[in-house]
């Protein structure tokens, strides 16, 4: 999973998105208008209709006639064209436009996948309980969530997924992989994986289940408070506050904050948690293509843990919001990081909900630590 660092927005007038949608809607409307208005057509010759109605600015750099040539050929010559729906072709066009960016974290979700993605952010979904991403061109497990079917079956952070139910994942889009891995509880999916530091592929059969993410857990070991954060979800801030209130009553000598295999989540939740250590200072910086949009985010609240020695556990499954929190605490000398190099997910996505229930997740910026250290693809 889906999913990764992102911020949920509902902006209705993002220029890039509007242009893409208008172009494709123009295609669809022009297509059916042409069908109604013309019968003298040779599909085998690849002719297209009503091109004179396409706005001039849409034809300056590319030949949009090719779009309809492909559309017509699929509808007329594809062996299974009877089962080929216009909506599937349309959504495929949108997905292809986003995929052309070459960015594995910019993804178009059809309404079904968008609904599943939102469920995960709310902390409950059906699947195997593993966060996946694209790393070095290969579908990779960011982290299996503790106690989930993936975790119990032996899936590990850093596993390369070479096949899903015997279907090769080479070149597969992230959203396609997510939709294949997820499924109704009680059903089975088989992943062919190669473990990190291994070369032999193995098949792991996993029975899907309903995943309920308890994002914050804690335990006391003598005078040491151990706090594990598995995800930065909508309820993580509340759960963390409850845990800290209980922990502080024991007057711990130190805190061990476990972010291993935490694939991230909401950036604002990471900033909220950073405020328990960082006193109204920069938590993370956002760097855009347009430098005038660059901005930084500060913590708010009372840093009640600032004087408590803190040790943060990280590994290759610590990504996104986990890296934001760990990096900021390290920059300010408020925590010692222990473990392995993190995943290196330092790009920022915005999720735009569309009117029909579909959605588009767009990479809009990269984030830097307070001392302007880049993390993306580095860790």
């Amino acid at each position: 999973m889906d999913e990764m660092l992102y911020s949920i927005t509902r902006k209705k007038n993002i220029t890039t998105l509007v242009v893409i949608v208008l172009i494709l809607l123009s295609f669809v409307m022009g297509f059916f208008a042409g069908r109604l208005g013309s019968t003298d057509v040779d599909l085998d010759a690849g002719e297209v209709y009503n091109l004179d109605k396409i706005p001039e600015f849409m034809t300056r750099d590319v030949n949009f006639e090719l779009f309809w040539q492909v559309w017509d050929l699929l509808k007329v010559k594809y062996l299974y064209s009877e089962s080929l729906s216009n909506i599937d072709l349309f959504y495929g066009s949108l997905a292809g436009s986003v995929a052309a960016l070459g960015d594995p974290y910019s993804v178009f979700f059809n309404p079904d996948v968008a609904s599943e993605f939102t469920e995960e952010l709310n902390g409950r979904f059906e699947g195997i309980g593993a966060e996946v991403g694209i790393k070095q061109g290969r579908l990779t497990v960011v982290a299996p969530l503790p106690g989930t079917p993936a975790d119990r079956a032996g899936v590990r952070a850093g596993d390369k997924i070479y096949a899903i139910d015997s279907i090769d994942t080479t070149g597969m889009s992230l959203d396609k992989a997510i939709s294949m891995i997820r499924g109704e509880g009680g059903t089975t999916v088989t992943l062919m994986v190669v473990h990190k530091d291994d070369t032999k592929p193995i098949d792991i059969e996993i029975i899907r289940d309903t995943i309920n993410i308890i994002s914050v857990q804690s335990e006391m070991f003598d005078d040491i408070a151990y706090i594990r954060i598995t995800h930065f979800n909508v309820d993580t801030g509340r759960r963390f506050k409850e845990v800290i209130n209980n922990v502080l009553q024991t007057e711990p000598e130190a805190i061990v904050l476990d972010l291993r295999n935490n694939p991230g989540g909401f950036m604002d939740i990471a900033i909220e948690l950073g405020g328990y250590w960082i006193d109204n200072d920069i938590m993370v910086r956002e760097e855009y293509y347009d430098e005038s949009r660059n901005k930084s985010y500060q913590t708010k609240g009372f840093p009640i843990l600032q004087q408590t020695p803190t040790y943060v556990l990280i590994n290759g499954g610590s990504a996104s919001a986990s890296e934001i929190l760990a990096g900021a605490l390290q920059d300010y000398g408020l925590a010692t990081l222990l473990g392995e190099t993190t995943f290196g997910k330092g790009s920022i996505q915005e999720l735009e909900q569309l009117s029909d229930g579909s959605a588009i997740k767009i990479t809009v910026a990269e984030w830097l630590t307070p001392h302007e250290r880049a993390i993306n693809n580095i860790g």
Side-chain angles (χ1 to χ4, degrees), residues 6 18 23 30 34 36 97 110 116 137 141 147 149 156 172 191 258 323 327 371 377:
Y6 42 80
V18 169
I23 288 174
L36 293 172
S97 297
N110 66 39
E116 292 173 354
V141 176
R156 306 174 189 170
M172 184 180 290
L191 305 183
D258 193 347
E323 295 172 292
H371 292 175
N377 298 321

Side-chain angles (χ1 to χ4, degrees), residues 330-343:
Q330 185 182 47
D331 273 8
Y332 290 118
L334 295 172
T336 300
L337 306 190
L338 302 172
E340 306 169 346
T341 302
T342 56
F343 186 81

Side-chain angles (χ1 to χ4, degrees), residues 142-209:
V142 179
L145 301 178
T148 60
D151 184 35
R152 294 192 297 268
V155 174
R156 306 174 189 170
D159 282 356
K160 303 293 185 183
I161 303 176
Y162 282 82
I164 304 170
D165 287 334
S166 300
I167 298 176
D168 188 0
T169 61
T170 302
M172 184 180 290
S173 67
L174 187 58
D175 60 322
K176 175 65 174 178
I178 291 171
S179 66
M180 291 178 64
I181 292 173
R182 283 183 176 167
E184 186 177 351
T187 60
T188 300
V189 62
T190 300
L191 305 183
M192 177 189 288
V193 307
V194 174
H195 290 316
K196 187 178 180 181
D197 301 325
D198 201 351
T199 58
K200 183 180 179 181
I202 62 172
D203 286 335
I204 299 180
E205 186 176 278
I206 309 169
I207 300 175
R208 300 179 178 98
D209 200 353

Side-chain angles (χ1 to χ4, degrees), residues 116-352:
E116 292 173 354
F117 187 75
T118 303
E119 286 180 0
E120 180 181 351
L121 298 181
N122 291 328
R124 185 181 185 277
F125 61 98
E126 289 190 320
I128 68 171
E131 190 85 14
V132 297
I134 304 291
K135 192 167 187 177
Q136 297 176 342
R138 173 60 64 183
L139 186 65
T140 303
V141 176
V142 179
L145 301 178
T148 60
D151 184 35
R152 294 192 297 268
V155 174
R156 306 174 189 170
D159 282 356
K160 303 293 185 183
I161 303 176
Y162 282 82
I164 304 170
D165 287 334
S166 300
I167 298 176
D168 188 0
T169 61
T170 302
M172 184 180 290
S173 67
L174 187 58
D175 60 322
K176 175 65 174 178
I178 291 171
S179 66
M180 291 178 64
I181 292 173
R182 283 183 176 167
E184 186 177 351
T187 60
T188 300
V189 62
T190 300
L191 305 183
M192 177 189 288
V193 307
V194 174
H195 290 316
K196 187 178 180 181
D197 301 325
D198 201 351
T199 58
K200 183 180 179 181
I202 62 172
D203 286 335
I204 299 180
E205 186 176 278
I206 309 169
I207 300 175
R208 300 179 178 98
D209 200 353
T210 298
I211 310 299
N212 291 296
I213 302 174
I214 301 176
S215 59
V216 184
Q217 302 168 6
S218 66
E219 192 171 348
M220 290 297 300
F221 294 93
D222 295 328
D223 294 326
I224 306 298
Y226 169 82
I227 303 172
R228 184 171 191 175
I229 303 177
T230 62
H231 230 80
F232 290 87
N233 286 337
V234 292
D235 66 340
T236 302
R238 173 183 59 80
R239 290 180 180 274
F240 188 79
K241 181 178 180 180
E242 293 172 355
V243 165
I244 290 301
N245 287 338
N246 292 330
V247 163
L248 290 180
Q249 293 179 19
T250 67
E251 299 182 355
E253 292 184 2
I255 290 176
V256 175
L257 184 65
D258 193 347
L259 299 180
R260 291 175 299 177
N261 293 340
N262 182 323
F266 290 111
M267 181 178 70
D268 56 350
I269 299 297
I271 296 171
E272 178 184 344
L273 268 56
Y276 285 88
W277 286 270
I278 301 168
D279 188 5
N280 294 305
D281 210 337
I282 293 175
M283 174 78 177
V284 62
R285 301 177 187 272
E286 286 185 356
E287 189 172 80
Y288 291 77
Y289 174 77
D290 178 1
E291 294 183 358
S292 66
R293 297 184 61 195
N294 290 355
K295 54 188 173 183
S296 59
Y297 293 89
Q298 291 195 190
T299 59
K300 298 178 181 179
F302 184 65
I304 55 178
L305 301 179
Q306 192 175 73
Q307 303 303 318
T308 305
T310 300
Y311 301 86
V312 180
L313 306 183
I314 54 174
N315 66 2
S318 306
S320 192
S322 296
E323 295 172 292
I324 283 182
L325 180 56
L329 295 179
Q330 185 182 47
D331 273 8
Y332 290 118
L334 295 172
T336 300
L337 306 190
L338 302 172
E340 306 169 346
T341 302
T342 56
F343 186 81
K345 169 62 170 60
S347 58
I348 301 167
Q349 284 73 44
E350 291 180 352
L351 184 68
E352 302 291 339

Side-chain angles (χ1 to χ4, degrees), residues 13-23 98 101 360 362:
N13 297 307
I14 291 185
T15 303
T16 302
L17 179 60
V18 169
V19 169
I20 291 174
V21 173
L22 285 178
I23 288 174
V98 179
L101 300 174
I360 181 172
I362 312 171

Side-chain angles (χ1 to χ4, degrees), residues 91-104:
Y91 283 146
S93 301
L94 293 173
S97 297
V98 179
L101 300 174
D103 173 20

